[in-house]
Every structure is written in C-alpha cells, then in structure tokens.
Amino acid sequence: MKGNVDPSAPQHSGSTAYINARIIDPVGDSDYRGAVLISDGKIADYGPNLFASGAPYGIQSVDCRGLYLAPGLVDTRVHTGEPGEEHKETLASAGAAAAVGGITSLVLLPDNEPPFDDASLIEFVARRARQVKLANMYAYGALTVGLEGKELAEIGLLAEAGAVAFTDADHAVGNAQVMRRALYYAKAFDALIVHLPQEPTLSTGTMTSGETATRLGLSGNPPLAEVMMVERDIRLAEMTGGRLHLAKISTAEAVAAIAAAKARGLRITCDTAAPYFALNDLAVGDYRTFGKLVPPLRAEKDRMAVVEGLKSGTIDAIVSDHRPQDQDSKRVPFAQAEPGGIGLETLLPISLELVHNGHLTLPRLFQLLSSTPARLFGLPGGRLAKGAPADLVVFDADYAWMVDRDELCSKTKNTPFDERPVQGRVMATIVGGRTIYRDDSFTTTAQAA
Amino acid sequence: MGVPRLPHLLGIEGLAPEAISGLLDLSESYIDQNRSIDKRRDLLSGRTVINLFFENSTRTRTSFEVAAKRLGADVINMDVATSSVRKGETLLDTAMTLNAMRPDSIVVRHSESGAVNLLSQKVNCAVINAGDGQHEHPTQALLDALTIRRRRGSLQGLLVAICGDIMHSRVARSNIHLLQIMGARVRVVGPPTLMPTDIEKMGVEVHYSMKTGLKDVDIVMMLRLQTERMQGLFVPSISEYFHFFGLDHEKLRFAKPDALIMHPGPMNRGVEIDSEVADDLDRSVIHEQVEMGVAVRMACLEALIGGRRNALAGAAA
C-alpha cells in the first residue's frame, strides 16, 4: 500500500489516453465506462465511446483496468505551517499529502504567521506552489487586518494579487457592523466571503456542550452558537447582496436555517468538513485531543443532520479542514490542546463512506468534493470538460485499509480518524497532465509513441 | 517492559460496586488504627509515594501524606510552585522525569480535566487522582461514602442532595457516580447557571430550589462556591446566593429530621453554609469526613501498591 509522490513528473508533450476507466462526471451527473484523452496538460476528449474499440495506436495509453477516474478533489480549507510554523507542515509536505489524497487543487487559509492580510503573502504562496510542483495551490486573503475582526483587510489588492476568497479562518467576525461592511465592500470585486459561523462569546468552551462534556468536566460550546451566527449572516447577506459562503456547518439547526434561506432564493452557500459527517462528540472519548476541532465535534443527531444536508444539497461542498498540530500542541491536557486535525489524505476515503452507506452517488459526491467548490471559488479544475485542466484522480472505491497516523505523509500525525477502517484508495493523482502520485500497485501499461 | 503496569485510581466512573465496597471495607480496617496511639504499620515500607500537586490543596495533600506515612511509605511532596513546571516544562516531561525516579505511586492534583488521565498514560507506576479540573475527585467520593455508610449502614436507597456549584465541581461528579453505583438516588440543587448541560443524563434529578431539592433527603452535601470567579458572572451576588442556596437551619427543615450535613471543605461560612449548621454536632459530619479521608487514602494506597490488590479487581472493566 505504498506509492510514490513525484513533483518532478514530466508533462508529456504529446497525448496520453486513460482507457478502461469508470468515469465520474460530476457536472454531467453521470458515470460510465470510457476513456479520457489528455493533451498538453488539458482534457482533449472524454466519453463512453472514446477508444471504445481498444487502445489507441501511436499515443501513450494508461489502462485503468476498471478503476474510477474522476476530476481531482478541490479542497477549499487547508492550513499549513508555511510561513510561520514550518515544523508542523510545509507547502511541500502538504502538497505530498494532498497528492496521496487525490487532491489536485487546494485553497490555503490565511491564518499563518504572518496572516495573509498583505498582497505579498498571496504572491509568496503562489511562488512557493510553483516550486513545490504538486497540487494547484491558491490562497485566501484575510477578511480583516490580523484576522482580528476589526478593520477590513485590503480586499481589492489581495484579490488583484490572486486571493480567491476572503476569510478570517477559524475566527468568527463577532461584530455585525464589520461583517456588514465586509459583505458590502467585497461586492465591488465580486469577492466571495467565507465565514465560520460561531457566536464568539458563546464559543469559549473546549468541546460541544452536552452529556460527554459534562461527564468529562470540560467546558462546552452550545451548538446553538452556530445557528445564531448563521441567522445573523443570512440577514447581513440579504441586506448587502454580498457573496457569502458559510464554512464547516456542524449542527442540525444551522443546516435547517441555511435550507430555509436557500428556499427563499438567497445566494448563500456552505460547506462541511469530513469530521462533521463521520464523527460525533464521543470521538473525544477519554480526552483525545486529536478530536478537539473548531467547531467542536457535535452530538449524533447533528452528525446525522449534516449527512442529510449533504444528501439534500443544502450543503454544497466538503472540505478537509486540514490543520496540522505537533505533539507539543496536542499532548497536553484537553483544554490546553490546540484544536484541529489533519485531513488531506483521508478526505476521499472518509467521504466515500457516504457512497458506501448509500447516502450519495459517486457523481453527486464529486460535485461536493470537486466541481462545486471549484465553481464557487472560481478555480479552473474540478470538472471534466474539453479544454479543462487535466486534474484527475484514479481511485479504487472498494480498497479496504485502516488509517494509521504513522503512515500518513503530513509532518504531524493529528488525525481524528486514526485506526478507522476505511474503503477507497487513490491509485494515481494527475495535475495538469502530470502524474504526481502513483500507487505502487497501479503499474501502467504505458507505451511510447 | 520489566516493570508491570499497575492499575490506577483515576475516577469513580466505571468502577464496579464490588470494587467500591472492597475499598470501603479496607478503609474501615484503618479507622481503629488511626485512632490508636500506635498509628504506623510497615505495609508500604520501602515504597515511594510522590504527591504531585499542580494546584494548591493543603488539606488533601496532607491527608495523602499522613495516609502514606502511616503505612510506612516514603513520601515526597512536589512543590510545584518552585519546580521546573513553572519554567515551561510540560506536564508529561514532569511525569516522565518523576517516573524515572521509580516511585510506586504518584498522587496528582491538576487544574485541568483529564490531566491526570494523560499523565497516567506515560508512567508505569500507580497514579491516584487527587482531583483533576472539573472532572473527578475519587478519594473525596470514597470518603464521603465511608462517612455515610458508617452512619447509615448502607448507601442503598438513600436520597442525597448535592447542592451548589455543580458545574465546576469534580466532587459532585465523583459523588454522582459513586452514590448511584451504590444504589442511592441523587438530586442536584443550585441555580441554573451553575448546572452543567445535560446533567440529568447522568441520572440525577435537577432542582433549582432548596425547598424542593432538600425535601425528604437523607443527606445534604454542600459544595464550595469559588467566590472569586462567581460574582456577577454566574450569580448576582454572594448575599443573593446565600439567601437562596446557602444552607441554614430554615432550609434544612425541608430535609429529613435526621439528615446528615456534609461539606468537602474548605467551607465559606456565610456563603454556601451557615456557621450554626456547619458546627451543629448533631447533624454535621464535616470533621468525620476529614478523618475518613485518611483511612480511605490508606486503603487506596494499599489497594494499588500494597500486597493486597484485589480491592480494585474489576475496576478496569
């Protein structure tokens, strides 16, 4: 179960055909047996009839032997330690983890040291990403200076430098006036504002309120702190007409409030992160700090509501919410532990549970993982289309394995999914036509032209 | 791997009734010894017990120290205020450093819930939780149980009211577990702001008034109100708190006529308890609790690091 991440994978000047694949087309909402032809880093052709009569002659071909081929994952919520905390994660180590996870585009949160509230940092990330040569890496700009929720960051200049959206990461903007002005101002640039909805004065605890917190003697965050902020933000978005995307929805009440806003025709979108549909607050168990997240893991009824929100389309996207933390940050009493879990390598297998459990079809899942986040953030990947970037993932949906934190590529091992049996494994990750990751068992039958 | 992993006493939750009874029986056997002139045995002779207190507690630390010394153990008190803990050494570094000195038991108090569980995972001696944050304080619950059992014969069927700051109390949580495991019924009484969320799911009855909460109870357990962090945030004022939730003779009338009054100490007289009630020799067993504390801690030390370890058999389940 070993593979090879290869940043120096060449881009062939000619064409490559991926044949005998089960193709997942999220935008077309279909899956079928077929082939994809890649030329010059772009998708040149695809479909059920392409090369139906056998491998093409004269160009390199890769036999997928019935494995799934889908647009690579677009993960819009990733934190690394670069710059500032390179001992936790660098863009290179995060890129390797993303490659193993089938993620071909990722958007970096701005809460580094220094925070991305200056255009030079957006340019720094872009430059480093070109050197790392793995997934496409984009960056959020800070919504407010220093992520402090007080003064607007230079949204226009940050956008010009390449910031794809604006957020204060895991800091909620508690001041309604600041949020209102941010939504208004961002309209000038048609900028997307991503907000983590948690009423800050009610969110000072260390896990979700309830029986588990009470038993463990830990201070709680009431789940209603989320819907209170969701409802405020919905009103502000309605008032301003700004583009609002709510992040990491974790409670039943918030899912219902967003569903109602969408039913009223408001242009609001939202995502959730894998832990919120795969785990509940019992994962904190005996003070497991790997289960300490923002927002906190919720009760089982909330987890089920998140699954329903994914099924109904109320929730538009799934993110990894990758946040590396080293041992010094996690091997301390629960209340003192830093929150966050890594998630790049487990995003696909954990999300596939939704398919294996009959909640979603594969094309629907890849809408959540690839095409919709790409569309919301204005990114070029995430879909099958002629002329689109050849950002693809080949995976075995049934391959059974167990998450072992020591086997993960991230520099830190703080996964909330440690020792979880999962199904589904990436066999190859292709970015711009280059195969940056290949599982050892996926030996291609490539033929030279 | 040479040193076997000994069981710990981290909390009451999950203990079998037999384990609790066993510990209480063992405790009984030390009461007479403690009352005699010759208080010392050499049962733990040659063993080392470290009292590692990250939070000040003269009473509990002294109780553990007396208990260990009466069994002949060597006791070291770690004065955390002057140790390297203040210099940025982490909890686990401290634990592993002490563990390398090969103590037989470490008695730990810490201000964070779960800190003692965390520490116990990194050492290979017996860890006794002397109070962790708002989580558990198992020896306090055991000494309370011993006090009640000696006065009432059994805990089975008793109705116990635990009153005051339930939210921040590890004593309340350990007692809720222990009393229910041993067949008593538990009420928690206090203002809603001092009730933890979903406390009723721990099997207790919740009351916001002393009148209904104390009605017909056999035991009234008062908790200490940490006045410095309460005023204006959880309760409007100390005088309002005492008026509605402080235990005085008037409120005590709601309880059974022979109801016992308990308090884990130290008391805030005039805040959660009236002096007349606290000092009422017919009703208050507060000093007896302190006496039972030594016996219970001797029993715990013996069960964990003495020869007779069967008292905690089944505790791991």
Side-chain angles (χ1 to χ4, degrees), chain A residues 77-309:
Chain A
R77 200 172 185 92
V78 178
H79 177 89
T80 79
E82 187 172 351
E85 291 189 302
E86 287 82 357
H87 61 287
K88 290 186 178 176
E89 191 88 290
T90 61
L91 292 176
S93 64
V100 175
I103 295 163
T104 53
S105 292
L106 53 85
V107 185
L108 297 161
L109 286 167
D111 56 334
N112 281 56
E113 188 54 51
F116 299 174
D117 58 4
D118 187 279
S120 64
L121 287 146
I122 307 296
E123 287 155 4
F124 166 83
V125 168
R127 188 170 65 249
R128 287 287 297 126
R130 282 196 298 275
Q131 293 163 354
V132 168
K133 291 171 67 177
L134 290 165
N136 305 300
M137 293 186 185
Y138 306 91
Y140 284 96
L143 184 61
T144 65
V145 175
L147 314 174
E148 287 176 351
K150 293 176 186 158
E151 301 165 39
L152 296 184
E154 293 172 332
I155 292 174
L157 290 174
L158 288 163
E160 218 168 63
V164 294
F166 297 86
T167 188
D168 277 357
D170 284 354
H171 306 266
V173 179
N175 185 319
Q177 181 71 288
V178 171
M179 191 64 178
R180 185 180 75 124
R181 291 203 178 116
L183 283 161
Y184 261 135
Y185 186 78
K187 281 176 75 173
F189 309 97
D190 195 31
L192 179 68
I193 290 182
V194 177
H195 192 221
L196 176 77
Q198 296 295 323
E199 168 52 44
T201 59
L202 290 178
S203 305
T204 55
T206 56
M207 71 173 293
T208 201
S209 301
E211 189 186 355
T212 306
T214 291
R215 277 179 189 279
L216 295 175
L218 294 172
S219 54
N221 289 343
L224 289 182
E226 181 168 284
V227 72
M228 287 172 66
M229 193 59 104
V230 165
E231 285 173 341
R232 183 203 77 172
D233 284 354
I234 287 169
R235 296 298 171 184
L236 291 174
E238 191 170 14
M239 181 196 301
T240 59
R243 285 178 67 205
L244 176 66
H245 178 86
L246 297 169
K248 295 198 276 186
I249 295 303
S250 67
T251 63
E253 287 79 7
V255 172
I258 293 164
K262 286 185 166 188
R264 285 200 290 135
L266 296 181
R267 196 176 52 150
I268 283 168
T269 54
C270 70
D271 64 58
T272 193
Y276 303 108
F277 60 77
L279 298 171
N280 60 28
D281 61 346
L282 295 177
V284 171
D286 200 13
Y287 301 101
R288 285 190 67 234
T289 57
F290 284 6
K292 183 176 179 180
L293 306 175
V294 174
L297 291 169
R298 303 294 191 183
E300 176 62 10
K301 80 164 179 63
D302 289 310
R303 187 195 71 79
M304 291 192 297
V306 170
V307 171
E308 287 304 312

Side-chain angles (χ1 to χ4, degrees), chain A residues 368-394:
Chain A
L368 293 157
L369 288 170
S370 302
S371 62
T372 304
R375 177 170 55 78
L376 294 176
F377 284 71
L379 309 181
R383 65 208 166 99
L384 291 181
K386 287 183 189 175
D391 295 348
L392 301 164
V393 58
V394 179

